[in-house]
């Protein structure tokens, strides 16, 4: 089980998600970032931060 919250990135957002794999979380976060944070494209920096913030 992998868990991620937007707060882990320092964002003022209550989004949290869980999944079984890193890529599942990334997919959910990409959808969320696009619709809520107006970030259709994640920079390498953001992707790195998400991966670092994942809790297993
Ligand atoms: Zn968020």
């Amino acid at each position: 089980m992998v868990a991620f919250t937007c707060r882990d990135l320092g964002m003022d957002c209550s989004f949290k998600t869980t999944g079984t794999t890193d890529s599942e979380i990334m997919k959910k976060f990409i959808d969320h970032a696009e619709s809520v944070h107006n970030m259709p494209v994640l920079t390498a920096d953001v992707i790195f931060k998400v991966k670092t913030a994942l809790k297993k």
Side-chain angles (χ1 to χ4, degrees):
M1 170 98 118
V2 188
F4 169 80
T5 70
C6 269
R7 265 184 223 290
D8 294 334
L9 291 190
M11 295 204 232
D12 185 18
C13 171
S14 59
F15 174 77
K16 60 174 96 159
T17 187
T18 55
T20 49
T21 62
D22 288 10
S23 55
E24 194 183 336
I25 299 278
M26 282 307 293
K27 253 184 235 155
K28 289 181 184 176
F29 177 67
I30 287 166
D31 283 349
H32 167 77
E34 184 173 3
S35 56
V36 177
H37 296 292
N38 199 21
M39 291 164 56
V41 177
L42 298 188
T43 63
D45 186 50
V46 171
I47 290 168
F48 177 77
K49 280 183 186 162
V50 172
K51 288 190 171 164
T52 314
L54 292 177
K55 292 185 202 63
K56 290 174 189 168

